[in-house]
Amino acid sequence: MTIPFNKPYLSGREFEYIQEAVSSGKISGDGQFTKKCHSKLETLFGFKKTLLTTSCTDALEMASLLLKIGPGDEIIVPSFTFVSSANAFALRGATLKFIDSGKLNPNLDPHLIDELITPKTKAIVVVHYAGVACDMDAIMTIAEKHGIFVVEDAAQAINSYYKGRALGGIGHLGTYSFHETKNIISGEGGALIINQSDFFDRSEIIWEKGTNRSAFFRGEVNKYGWVDIGSSFLPSELNAAYLYAQLEALDKIQNRRIEIWERYQANLKDITNLLSIKIPEIPHYATNNGHMFYMVCESFTQRSLLINYLKSHGINAPFHYISLHDSDYFRENHDGRSLQYSAHYTDCLIRLPMYFELKDSEVDFISNCILNFKF
Ligand SMILES: *Cc1c(COP(=O)(O)O)cnc(C)c1O
């Protein structure tokens, strides 16, 4: 028996909706399924405006264009995150200041923001790791005090909340991913969440290759043309049709993922005493969206042995990010600060299989294997 780390879930209506899109004769972007996804996301989570993109990476690049990031601007971004959280701003020529994670979890430690702010700081990128909220009140207070933008990389955080507010909807801009490894998927896909109305018009222009095409189709202007810089960020209707089926199944998907997560948590509650391996704690201000069940080992050696041991039982349990401040691309540009928690999660974090179709018996099998691991 082998248990993969992830398995993309088909809710059932994807083919029907794709067929409907194809039969409608309109398969490029911004058609009926795109519009349905926009309004579904806006009503489900109370967002003012969303735009589907072909990935979260694209949504982050749109954010970078919207904020007019350029050479000389400084961006504060976690080191323990996916490349795109930083790359989207590096692409525009920004200077990156990597911030460490906290002790509690891989989210950035808000206490470290102040010392990284200079007159050149333009934005903070926050990543809600494993779908668990960063401490947004602390972050927004600092950002407002210094007049800097907050971009929430909520790639993993659909249907997760901070003090009752949906993640992605708290900062100036937010981004979602619908990559096949996320909770709600469309193969490759994402969304930009625009929380400030003065960004609405330009966000559509950037989305539509620098043209005012969206306004034209709404009849607001009588011709459309090149009005700003932009790119082709909108997905085809085929992707949107797939995504719409998934969004309709949100509750079902989320309920099962959370069940699996809580089963791991209950099964593994003694692991910290047995092996000093830590399991996640959800802070009082956050919710759990069942995106990921991870554990933090006591050392790199322990984690390597555990990964190999699980592999020998057919279980794929991978590590995760490698600190960006210490990446091949960036290492020489880093200012030398030690980012101890980012390094710790790089070396010690392990993720357990998590997908809709994972059976209770498999969760128990994986948990028992871990409890029997000797170190
Ligand atoms: C998955 C992920 C991304 C990238 O998403 P894509 O849709 O694949 O571009 C960015 N940031 C984080 C935190 C992610 O987990």
Side-chain angles (χ1 to χ4, degrees), residues 54-58 60 81-82 84-85 127 153 155-156 176-179 181-182 188-190 321:
T54 43
S55 62
C56 181
T57 301
D58 269 355
L60 287 160
T81 181
F82 189 64
S84 300
S85 323
V127 178
D153 180 344
Q156 305 171 10
Y176 272 173
S177 173
F178 304 117
H179 184 265
T181 50
K182 304 302 198 290
E188 300 279 355
Y321 304 127

Side-chain angles (χ1 to χ4, degrees), residues 164-345:
R165 298 171 67 191
L167 300 185
I170 301 169
H172 299 84
L173 298 165
T175 63
Y176 272 173
S177 173
F178 304 117
H179 184 265
E180 71 168 26
T181 50
K182 304 302 198 290
N183 291 25
I184 301 296
I185 62 177
S186 62
E188 300 279 355
L192 178 69
I193 302 150
I194 306 118
N195 301 320
Q196 229 173 260
S197 53
D198 47 346
F199 286 132
F200 287 1
D201 288 347
R202 251 188 94 233
S203 67
E204 287 183 342
I205 289 166
I206 289 169
W207 192 56
E208 277 277 23
K209 303 122 187 143
T211 73
N212 52 354
R213 194 164 184 267
S214 299
F216 174 72
F217 280 114
R218 279 197 303 265
E220 293 165 12
V221 291
N222 56 17
K223 58 181 170 41
Y224 87 83
W226 191 17
V227 294
D228 204 331
I229 56 167
S231 193
S232 184
F233 288 117
L234 66 176
S236 93
E237 278 290 290
L238 306 184
N239 288 63
Y242 192 107
L243 180 64
Y244 191 65
Q246 294 265 318
L247 286 173
E248 282 189 329
L250 178 84
D251 285 345
K252 182 179 163 199
I253 293 171
Q254 289 299 96
N255 289 342
R256 179 59 192 149
R257 292 189 76 109
I258 289 166
E259 248 172 41
I260 294 170
W261 198 99
E262 288 176 347
R263 196 170 183 95
Y264 273 133
Q265 185 191 38
N267 286 348
L268 293 168
K269 64 182 187 320
D270 293 330
I271 193 76
T272 312
N273 289 333
L274 281 171
L275 286 163
S276 21
I277 293 174
K278 295 201 177 107
I279 60 173
E281 276 171 52
I282 310 292
H284 64 90
Y285 50 72
T287 59
N288 171 29
N289 72 344
H291 175 63
M292 185 198 299
F293 194 93
Y294 67 85
M295 307 191 300
V296 183
C297 293
E298 65 176 23
S299 65
F300 178 77
T301 310
Q302 186 191 43
R303 184 185 71 178
S304 305
L305 292 171
L306 179 58
I307 287 175
N308 290 337
Y309 164 85
L310 291 173
K311 190 154 277 162
S312 74
H313 288 83
I315 300 162
N316 278 296
F319 55 86
H320 208 187
Y321 304 127
I322 297 172
S323 294
L324 296 179
H325 75 278
D326 199 26
S327 60
D328 286 347
Y329 176 69
F330 197 81
R331 196 174 298 122
E332 284 179 10
N333 297 311
H334 182 61
D335 55 24
R337 278 172 301 120
S338 119
L339 303 182
Q340 57 158 329
Y341 287 110
S342 182
H344 183 61
Y345 296 121

